[in-house]
Amino acid sequence: KMLNGPNGEFSGDKTAFVEDIRQALYASKIVSYAQGFMLLRQAAVEFGWNLNYGGIALMWRGGCIIRSRFLGNIKAAFDKNPALDNLLLDDFFKDAIHNAQAAWRRVVSQAVLLGVPTPCFSTALAFYDGYRSAMLPANLIQAQRDYFGAHTYELLSAPGSFHHTNWTGTGGNVSASTYSA
């Protein structure tokens, strides 16, 4: 009790919010499976494996702790496109995420406002937002590195062109160069 935070109580339509939670869980599970298959695909590349991703989904359905009602849809996605980079790009999963997205965002937002940790929902949503975004927080990290250590940043409008900004107006013209460690 040494740290302060929200002590609120949910005041909305509880029945509707339970449905939002169900949708948030569904979307988060889809992202979790998408991440898992991304890891399998990367491992296959690195180790020279020839994996049957649809077969893996069916194997899980047959008695593994990893079970889900949409494992058949995963198999169908890989049957339709064996080179599928991410389940989120398959029509079934893309539509499911789109349909659940508003509820998912309401749940994460409400949890933050109430101070309720929802790490699986919020990190899955953050992953989804990062995956669908052309510009990521790495752009901000470049600016922070330049501010604190004059490491320069690359302009999106001029790829290959690196710049340093005197962010505070008091530092002078400092720049860093690249080096091979």
Side-chain angles (χ1 to χ4, degrees):
K1 292 282 181 178
M2 294 177 64
L3 302 174
N4 292 328
N7 291 324
E9 188 173 311
F10 181 74
S11 60
D13 180 339
K14 290 183 181 178
T15 301
F17 194 61
V18 167
E19 176 57 23
D20 283 352
I21 292 170
R22 192 185 71 72
Q23 291 291 320
L25 176 60
Y26 185 55
S28 296
K29 285 173 63 175
I30 290 170
V31 167
S32 177
Y33 277 94
Q35 290 171 323
F37 278 96
M38 287 172 69
L39 290 171
L40 287 171
R41 183 170 295 285
Q42 187 58 40
V45 168
E46 289 187 28
F47 297 108
W49 299 339
N50 182 20
L51 297 178
N52 178 343
Y53 301 106
I56 291 169
L58 288 186
M59 179 179 61
W60 286 340
R61 188 171 65 183
C64 179
I65 192 171
I66 303 171
R67 293 186 183 181
S68 175
R69 66 180 176 165
F70 54 77
L71 288 171
N73 300 102
I74 293 173
K75 180 182 183 333
F78 285 114
D79 284 350
K80 185 170 48 173
N81 180 2
L84 183 65
D85 283 334
N86 190 311
L87 284 174
L88 298 173
L89 302 176
D90 176 73
D91 289 338
F92 173 83
F93 294 104
K94 186 175 12 174
D95 291 345
I97 290 284
H98 289 172
N99 291 335
Q101 191 173 158
W104 193 12
R105 291 182 187 284
R106 283 191 298 271
V107 168
V108 171
S109 298
Q110 190 65 47
V112 169
L113 291 171
L114 294 174
V116 177
T118 56
C120 294
F121 290 170
S122 57
T123 56
L125 181 58
F127 174 86
Y128 173 76
D129 283 338
Y131 193 79
R132 68 178 186 82
S133 299
M135 292 180 52
L136 298 172
N139 305 106
L140 178 59
I141 291 169
Q142 279 193 70
Q144 290 173 328
R145 290 182 69 239
D146 187 56
Y147 175 84
F148 290 110
H151 293 283
T152 71
Y153 55 93
E154 184 176 11
L155 293 176
L156 294 175
S157 61
S161 176
F162 295 88
H163 300 270
H164 166 68
T165 295
N166 182 356
W167 298 95
T168 63
T170 60
N173 293 325
V174 178
S175 65
S177 61
T178 60
Y179 61 92
S180 297

